[in-house]
Amino acid sequence: MDESPSPPSPAAPVTMHDVARVAGVSPQTVSRVLSDHPAVRESTRRHVREVVRRLGYQRNDAASRLARGPRRTAARTSSTGASTRC
């Protein structure tokens, strides 16, 4: 009997947590691998990337932006009423 974790169901998109579970690492490690952080062993990096490829994981840009939190942006208007970002 195979003891490895099974991939998520095809109906649901693959999440970073799914990749972490199947790879046997933490979600933080998956995040570090995907952002090319230097504090990850090469063997771990290769393994996580293989699981990402096998599961078909694609980073959700909207979720990434939400996880980073709000950005502090300012806007100013010109005398013509047009809005510009600072």
Side-chain angles (χ1 to χ4, degrees), residues 15-39:
T15 67
M16 192 180 306
H17 288 346
D18 295 329
V19 172
R21 182 176 47 80
V22 173
V25 299
S26 72
Q28 180 67 37
T29 298
V30 175
S31 177
R32 286 179 176 165
V33 168
L34 295 175
S35 62
D36 290 325
H37 194 281

Side-chain angles (χ1 to χ4, degrees), residues 54-69:
R54 189 168 29 118
L55 296 181
Y57 171 77
Q58 292 184 345
R59 187 176 283 200
N60 181 329
D61 290 332
S64 295
R65 282 191 299 274
L66 281 173
R68 283 192 299 261

Side-chain angles (χ1 to χ4, degrees), residues 71-78 82-86:
R71 292 186 176 260
R72 295 177 185 252
T73 58
R76 89 180 142 195
T77 56
S78 68
S83 178
T84 59
R85 286 184 175 224
C86 299

